Amino acid sequence: MEDAYARSVSEVLDFFGVDSSKGLTDFQVSQHARLYGKNVLPEEERTPFWKLVFKQFDDLLVKILIAAALVSFLLALINGETGLIAFLEPSVILMILAANAAVGVITETNAEKALEELRAYQADIATVLRNGCFSILPATELVPGDIVEVSVGCKIPADMRMIEMLSGQLRVDQAILTGESSSVEKDLESTIATNAVYQDKTNILFSGTVVVAGRARAVVIGVGANTAMGSIRDSMLRTDDEATPLKKKLDEFGTFLAKVIAGICVLVWIVNIGHFRDPAHGGFLRGAIHYFKIAVALAVAAIPEGLPAVVTTCLALGTKRMARLNAIVRSLPSVETLGCTTVICSDKTGTLTTNMMSVSKICVVHSIKNGPEVAEFGVSGTTYAPEGFIFDNTGVQLEFPAQLPCLLHIAMCSALCNESLLQYNPDKGNYEKIGESTEVALRVLAEKVGLPGFDSMPSALNMLSKHERASYCNHYWENQFKKVSVLEFSRDRKMMSVLCNHKQMEIMFSKGAPESIISRCTNILCNNDGSTIPIDATLRAELDSRFNSFAGKETLRCLALALKIMPMGQQTLSFDDEKDLTFIGLVGMLDPPREEVRNAMISCMTAGIRVIVVTGDNKSTAESVCRKIGAFDHLVDYVGHSYTAAEFEELPGTQQTMALQRMALLTRVEPSHKRMLVEALQNQNEVVAMTGDGVNDAPALKKADIGIAMGSGTAVAKSASDMVLADDNFATIVAAVAEGRAIYNNTKQFIRYMISSNIGEVVCIFVAAVLGIPDTLAPVQLLWVNLVTDGLPATAIGFNKPDSDVMKAKPRKVSEAVVSGWLFFRYLVIGAYVGLATVAGFIWWFIYSETGPKLPYTELMNFDTCPTRETTYPCSIFEDRHPSTVAMTVLVVVEMFNALNNLSENQSLLVIPPWSNLWLVASIILTMLLHILILYVPPLSTLFSVTSLSWNEWAVILYLSFPVIIIDEVLKFFSRNSHGIRFNFRFRRYDALPKKELRDK
């Protein structure tokens, strides 16, 4: 029944055909069970394991690699090759792909845990009326029409419509669903609001929320998927995971690279058609196969096989650094996404605030000797921890607050006129409440005021254990005053009273709405001397003025406290006793902002990141919090910047678009609104981070580009998020964004390093094929260079130190290519030199080396006709391992120098020396040791078709390799001056990586 909130109690009961005094019959239960289903959230359909595995190979570059591995394997069989060497290349490629697929499958398997966690918020049991009798049944057996009784501490087992109040009031904590900082009072009246949100449905009890005060009966109107929790589940199921900006750019690069590779491979094969019939190949078909092998080797050279592993490693290193900042990363790609975040949609309750009600202001009457003199006190401390101080209106801390009469009696009343509990949880290391948050705030206030008569009171309290300290002062007052009778809070009185006995004296303490308490007071307690004086119209007006200031301008939740000396021996209270009260004081409380949030807001604005506060609270309360945290500092007025969800939805389409660009606050939201906001911002090409801690935040956390949950939040929010803030600190997000930006910059550097290295390998093979000289490098040698000698330095580049101004730059655009324009030109130049130097090393050995044959260049170009003509040298020299060893070593060494070029994009090595990244220096040393190992250890040298080198050959290798540093220094110089910038502008329109719209909506 979707509109039960708008129907009367009798209409709802008639709809389900149930008698409120007897409940459903067994026949009706079975009938409703068939009609409406079970009260469980149905399990989502899981993706079959085989589909998850195949999904990991749905990538063009991966498909090309698989094809290259298969072709290499078939060619080995056709040529009759056997042993490890024949199948090494395809085996290594397939192992790499299998490892990457395994990581992908594990990540996707963990993604659906949020839906499982959602079930934890369903109640286990319920007190149900059936066949005229109450019984306790499993909550899963509830059906629509069941009459259920709920009381303090109960978890609501299904969505229910209130039908009968069994106490003065019923209050429910529904923060996990709506994000409201205070508990909500429920009633029986039907709701007439149009487009009612959860907060407007005050007669509905929502599944998974908790009763904090009172007792009532309700009729079940929705079970399982047809509850508020069910709608959250459906919303999460409808959310598809978006690829991160870096992933999209790498995918685009992969597609572009695949096309280029295919073109070059075909071109190399076509260029050599004339050589197919060369006698050295033994026929046209074998010649075609030979050059096809070269094309396959080219594909292997062009594809950076180690790139996925290096990207994953760099992100993993980033997560370790972020963990030290209290940001626990659950999804590796989200590390990089932080770097380009443009909007943070922050939940208010529990994220910007502590989600712990705290008394912040106290107002008492000091004296009336020279006219009414009212004193205000400030209270520090923003959590349930009994830690904080009382300050006078000049900001001076009170050393012994309990010595002041009004503060002493406020502490008494707060401790005694109270039904809540405060306790320390050693497992979580924090203080927890049981009951109404406003009452717990009063208990904490009593602890901060302390006890009278002890000069060493503050320090003595600090010596207690945390468990004893939680309610030490409260327990003291409860032992001094024995509770005799209680008048519970009711909506008409708007107050609560308790009768206590103390040393043969009966005292009634009362607390409630200020307008209700003050109107019943005839006397006032003075704070200067503890005297009691009659209240007059002037004093009453002054108190009303202070109340309006607290509640209006400062948007504090206010309670007034009073007492009354009762006749000796009275044992009961009646409503008639609640008159002729003595006013003690007024307290103002709020869900306080976290202390560090203001500075975090300033950092976000400096970094070009917009913050939108999103909350279920009412508009005035939220605006007050935004003023305190600095979210409105840049605004003259709030018109056009602060909206309720209903106001925003009513705007025409064009005005909604404008509002999204200016919005700083969205209030009275429910889960669907949060998800809608994220989608709307993403449609404007914003990269959205959403923070939250409640079940209500889960759909939006899952939909956002990066979902950030609080460490103290619900398990559902954590499971749906990409990152968890262990310290619940909004400021940690700013540190995480800085880390994300640094990681992206480093990722960009090693991607460029690997691309320029691979360009060098392609140039090497292509030039050798065009010149008609022997194969410069074997496929297995290319694999070694790609995986080991490229991979280690590329990973170490991830340790480059972040720029000092990383948080002063605006967020990068998601459409920004990883390598584009002038940069691509630079790396083409570097890549071309790498390839040409490698070929030069190969040719040098044949023509100039002392240990080589010193052939004329023409002989080298006609090597394939050697068996058919007379020569002064044996044809076997073309199978010598020396030339390919020199070429491979030149390739390795030149890439080590190129790795040093990537310490910075534009800064010279004279400014940022190699030792600024010792990990890179170590990786270069390790890479060279591994390379020397395969050169000089016989089994490995045989495996990789290499041999040992002489000192003279090493000298030539260094001569050929070092110029890559000089070339890049020149290119960096152009990048730093105006000519480079203008050149960059000319190239900017011709991105090496094709651009396309990031989202096809």
Side-chain angles (χ1 to χ4, degrees):
M1 191 176 187
E2 293 183 1
D3 61 345
Y5 63 90
R7 304 288 187 93
S8 66
V9 171
S10 57
E11 284 180 299
V12 176
L13 293 173
D14 289 343
F15 180 84
F16 292 110
V18 62
D19 183 340
S20 62
S21 62
K22 295 180 181 178
L24 295 175
T25 64
D26 290 339
F27 174 73
Q28 285 178 304
V29 169
S30 60
Q31 197 176 32
H32 287 193
R34 283 195 303 272
L35 187 61
Y36 299 109
K38 281 191 168 186
N39 186 30
V40 291
L41 291 177
E43 289 194 21
E44 63 284 352
E45 192 176 321
R46 290 184 172 276
T47 308
F49 181 77
W50 65 269
K51 277 191 178 180
L52 283 178
V53 173
F54 276 99
K55 183 181 175 183
Q56 309 311 315
F57 297 96
D58 188 20
D59 179 86
L60 195 54
L61 272 183
V62 171
K63 289 172 183 173
I64 290 177
L65 273 176
I66 292 172
L70 292 175
V71 168
S72 180
F73 179 72
L74 291 172
L75 291 176
L77 289 178
I78 291 170
N79 288 340
E81 295 176 18
T82 57
L84 182 61
I85 297 175
F87 307 113
L88 179 67
E89 180 188 331
S91 301
V92 170
I93 292 174
L94 293 175
M95 279 194 294
I96 294 165
L97 296 178
N100 282 331
V103 172
V105 169
I106 291 168
T107 303
E108 296 208 22
T109 304
N110 290 334
E112 299 308 315
K113 280 190 178 175
L115 294 166
E116 295 172 16
E117 297 282 5
L118 205 55
R119 295 193 188 89
Y121 289 87
Q122 292 182 292
D124 296 323
I125 56 172
T127 304
V128 188
L129 177 64
R130 285 182 182 173
N131 302 306
C133 297
F134 275 103
S135 57
I136 297 175
L137 298 175
T140 55
E141 294 183 13
L142 286 181
V143 295
D146 265 326
I147 305 298
V148 178
E149 188 169 305
V150 295
S151 57
V152 176
C154 280
K155 188 181 285 184
I156 306 298
D159 281 9
M160 304 189 292
R161 167 69 158 90
M162 294 268 290
I163 60 171
E164 185 181 355
M165 195 79 75
L166 300 176
S167 61
Q169 66 163 344
L170 186 84
R171 299 190 71 86
V172 177
D173 181 355
Q174 52 188 44
I176 64 164
L177 184 67
T178 62
E180 291 165 286
S181 55
S182 303
S183 60
V184 178
E185 187 175 349
K186 296 294 181 178
D187 55 42
L188 304 178
E189 302 302 318
S190 57
T191 304
I192 57 172
T194 54
N195 300 322
V197 295
Y198 291 147
Q199 293 91 324
D200 298 324
K201 300 173 184 178
T202 54
N203 54 23
I204 301 294
L205 305 178
F206 296 105
S207 173
T209 59
V210 179
V211 178
V212 294
R215 186 164 150 257
R217 285 180 191 162
V219 59
V220 176
I221 57 170
V223 295
N226 295 317
T227 61
M229 285 290 177
S231 66
I232 289 174
R233 170 194 170 275
D234 292 342
S235 180
M236 290 168 71
L237 279 176
R238 289 195 303 270
T239 302
D240 296 322
D241 291 331
E242 289 266 342
T244 67
L246 179 61
K247 177 72 166 64
K248 290 175 182 176
K249 282 295 151 195
L250 290 178
D251 287 347
E252 288 177 24
F253 170 64
T255 304
F256 170 72
L257 190 60
K259 292 174 183 174
V260 172
I261 290 166
I264 293 175
C265 289
V266 171
L267 184 61
V268 167
W269 198 66
I270 291 172
V271 164
N272 285 287
I273 285 178
H275 295 285
F276 286 4
R277 296 185 184 278
D278 288 348
H281 304 312
F284 183 86
L285 183 60
R286 286 193 172 274
I289 291 173
H290 173 79
Y291 286 103
F292 187 64
K293 278 188 75 174
I294 292 176
V296 171
L298 192 63
V300 173
I303 298 173
E305 292 91 346
L307 184 58
V310 174
V311 170
T312 302
T313 305
C314 184
L315 295 179
L317 292 171
T319 64
K320 280 197 169 185
R321 289 197 291 268
M322 290 169 77
R324 289 197 289 269
L325 301 171
N326 289 313
I328 312 301
V329 175
R330 298 184 66 255
S331 168
L332 278 183
S334 64
V335 176
E336 175 272 329
T337 309
L338 274 170
C340 56
T341 298
T342 57
V343 178
I344 298 175
C345 295
S346 177
D347 186 45
K348 178 184 76 70
T349 307
T351 306
L352 300 174
T353 65
T354 62
N355 195 21
M356 299 181 192
M357 271 290 178
S358 177
V359 174
S360 64
K361 284 282 186 76
I362 300 172
C363 175
V364 299
V365 174
H366 186 67
S367 73
I368 59 163
K369 287 181 180 177
N370 301 315
E373 186 182 344
V374 177
E376 285 188 10
F377 298 93
V379 185
S380 68
T382 58
T383 67
Y384 290 143
E387 300 160 0
F389 304 99
I390 315 293
F391 300 87
D392 64 20
N393 56 3
T394 63
V396 177
Q397 181 186 327
L398 301 183
E399 194 171 354
F400 304 109
Q403 290 180 354
L404 297 176
C406 284
L407 293 183
L408 176 65
H409 284 83
I410 283 173
M412 290 181 194
C413 187
S414 296
L416 298 167
C417 196
N418 204 312
E419 297 292 307
S420 68
L421 289 174
L422 177 66
Q423 60 189 24
Y424 181 72
N425 185 331
D427 295 331
K428 294 183 179 178
N430 59 15
Y431 291 88
E432 293 182 340
K433 72 179 177 84
I434 298 175
E436 183 65 57
S437 56
T438 52
E439 291 199 330
V440 177
L442 291 176
R443 282 208 179 276
V444 175
L445 175 63
E447 296 296 327
K448 292 175 182 177
V449 172
L451 301 175
F454 300 96
D455 289 344
S456 62
M457 188 73 245
S459 57
L461 285 174
N462 292 335
M463 294 172 68
L464 298 171
S465 69
K466 289 189 175 182
H467 178 73
E468 292 173 307
R469 182 68 188 94
S471 294
Y472 185 85
C473 298
N474 282 273
H475 288 161
Y476 174 84
W477 293 121
E478 287 167 352
N479 290 331
Q480 291 289 315
F481 292 81
K482 182 185 176 184
K483 285 188 185 180
V484 178
S485 180
V486 176
L487 277 180
E488 288 189 350
F489 182 95
S490 66
R491 295 184 65 198
D492 54 341
R493 291 161 43 246
K494 294 184 179 178
M495 63 183 293
M496 169 192 178
S497 298
V498 57
L499 178 64
C500 299
N501 174 271
H502 175 67
K503 295 180 180 178
Q504 306 300 314
M505 183 171 63
E506 315 297 335
I507 304 177
M508 181 181 76
F509 291 102
S510 300
K511 77 167 190 290
E515 64 272 22
S516 187
I517 294 287
I518 294 172
S519 66
R520 296 166 192 261
C521 289
T522 55
N523 297 295
I524 283 184
L525 181 68
C526 290
N527 198 44
N528 64 333
D529 56 6
S531 61
T532 300
I533 55 170
I535 193 169
D536 58 20
T538 307
L539 209 45
R540 209 179 287 276
E542 178 65 23
L543 291 175
D544 286 338
S545 171
R546 294 301 173 111
F547 163 55
N548 291 330
S549 173
F550 277 19
K553 183 181 177 183
E554 299 185 51
T555 62
L556 299 177
R557 186 170 183 182
C558 296
L559 287 175
L561 307 177
L563 60 80
K564 180 181 180 181
I565 306 299
M566 305 298 289
M568 181 75 72
Q570 182 167 334
Q571 297 296 305
T572 60
L573 284 179
S574 68
F575 296 149
D576 291 335
D577 292 322
E578 293 179 323
K579 61 183 180 183
D580 300 327
L581 305 179
T582 298
F583 179 83
I584 307 172
L586 184 72
V587 297
M589 57 186 74
L590 77 163
D591 177 11
R594 295 181 181 276
E595 295 172 358
E596 56 284 326
V597 165
R598 172 173 276 276
N599 288 335
M601 283 282 176
I602 295 169
S603 296
C604 283
M605 291 173 189
T606 305
I609 301 170
R610 191 155 59 99
V611 179
I612 300 177
V613 179
V614 186
T615 178
D617 261 344
N618 64 61
K619 198 172 185 178
S620 60
T621 302
E623 286 180 347
S624 172
V625 171
C626 286
R627 282 195 298 272
K628 289 182 173 73
I629 63 174
F632 286 167
D633 281 2
H634 60 297
L635 306 178
V636 179
D637 61 67
Y638 309 151
V639 178
H641 300 279
S642 174
Y643 296 89
T644 65
E647 289 170 349
F648 180 74
E649 283 187 313
E650 288 170 5
L651 293 175
T654 52
Q655 289 186 33
Q656 274 193 359
T657 303
M658 293 291 292
L660 278 172
Q661 294 168 359
R662 304 174 61 205
M663 185 186 292
L665 174 65
L666 187 65
T667 55
R668 302 296 283 175
V669 301
E670 55 183 40
S672 59
H673 293 133
K674 292 187 177 185
R675 191 175 186 278
M676 171 270 293
L677 176 64
V678 171
E679 285 182 343
L681 289 167
Q682 286 175 335
N683 282 336
Q684 294 189 358
N685 280 336
E686 303 280 9
V687 179
V688 184
M690 166 63 81
T691 74
D693 61 349
V695 173
N696 60 318
D697 301 315
L701 288 173
K702 198 160 185 281
K703 177 63 182 170
D705 294 289
I706 174 164
I708 305 171
M710 301 296 114
S712 63
T714 61
V716 180
K718 291 178 194 174
S719 295
S721 67
D722 300 298
M723 190 172 87
V724 178
L725 301 183
D727 58 357
D728 288 10
N729 193 336
F730 180 83
T732 301
I733 298 173
V734 179
V737 168
E739 189 62 41
R741 290 185 173 190
I743 288 169
Y744 177 75
N745 290 341
N746 290 343
T747 304
K748 230 170 28 168
Q749 285 301 98
F750 69 64
I751 287 173
R752 290 170 185 156
Y753 164 67
M754 296 190 87
I755 290 172
S756 61
S757 297
N758 282 57
I759 289 172
E761 293 164 24
V762 171
V763 168
C764 165
I765 293 173
F766 186 75
V767 168
V770 170
L771 293 178
I773 62 178
D775 296 345
T776 313
L777 297 168
V780 70
Q781 293 171 337
L782 285 170
L783 266 180
W784 171 260
V785 173
N786 277 354
L787 292 176
V788 181
T789 57
D790 280 2
L792 289 174
T795 304
I797 288 170
F799 287 94
N800 283 352
K801 292 179 180 178
D803 297 334
S804 57
D805 60 348
V806 72
M807 281 302 284
K808 293 178 183 175
K810 300 301 178 189
R812 77 176 193 277
K813 294 180 180 177
V814 289
S815 58
E816 178 187 305
V818 179
V819 182
S820 61
W822 163 248
L823 279 172
F824 186 66
F825 172 78
R826 278 174 55 180
Y827 286 91
L828 272 177
V829 172
I830 295 296
Y833 179 79
V834 170
L836 292 173
T838 304
V839 174
F842 184 84
I843 295 173
W844 169 83
W845 187 87
F846 279 106
I847 299 177
Y848 300 109
S849 175
E850 293 296 329
T851 57
K854 296 190 176 181
L855 299 179
Y857 181 68
T858 52
E859 287 292 314
L860 184 61
M861 287 185 64
N862 295 306
F863 78 97
D864 47 1
T865 60
C866 180
T868 63
R869 55 193 174 83
E870 290 186 13
T871 58
T872 57
Y873 55 87
C875 293
S876 59
I877 63 164
F878 295 114
E879 295 174 9
D880 195 301
R881 293 181 183 178
H882 273 90
S884 63
T885 304
V886 170
M888 181 184 177
T889 307
V890 168
L891 182 60
V892 169
V893 175
V894 78
E895 288 185 5
M896 294 306 100
F897 284 126
N898 191 29
L900 294 176
N901 288 332
N902 285 276
L903 281 166
S904 172
E905 186 176 305
N906 294 315
Q907 291 299 320
S908 167
L909 280 172
L910 299 175
V911 177
I912 302 179
W915 51 87
S916 65
N917 185 344
L918 292 177
W919 288 102
L920 181 59
V921 175
S923 72
I924 291 172
I925 293 170
L926 179 59
T927 300
M928 289 309 300
L929 288 174
L930 288 172
H931 185 68
I932 290 168
L933 192 69
I934 69 165
L935 293 186
Y936 294 97
V937 176
L940 292 175
S941 60
T942 305
L943 185 65
F944 288 97
S945 300
V946 292
T947 188
S948 56
L949 299 174
S950 65
W951 286 111
N952 183 49
E953 289 166 335
W954 275 107
V956 171
I957 287 165
L958 288 172
Y959 283 132
L960 288 171
S961 303
F962 186 77
V964 76
I965 285 184
I966 298 170
I967 293 169
D968 201 54
E969 286 291 316
V970 172
L971 292 170
K972 284 180 179 179
F973 172 78
F974 280 108
S975 289
R976 291 193 300 269
N977 66 28
S978 58
H979 299 293
I981 293 168
R982 287 201 292 270
F983 195 34
N984 187 11
F985 179 78
R986 281 168 50 199
F987 271 80
R988 191 172 293 156
R989 296 179 58 188
Y990 307 105
D991 281 359
L993 309 187
K995 287 187 178 181
K996 67 175 183 179
E997 287 302 313
L998 289 177
R999 295 184 176 87
D1000 301 321
K1001 296 287 184 184

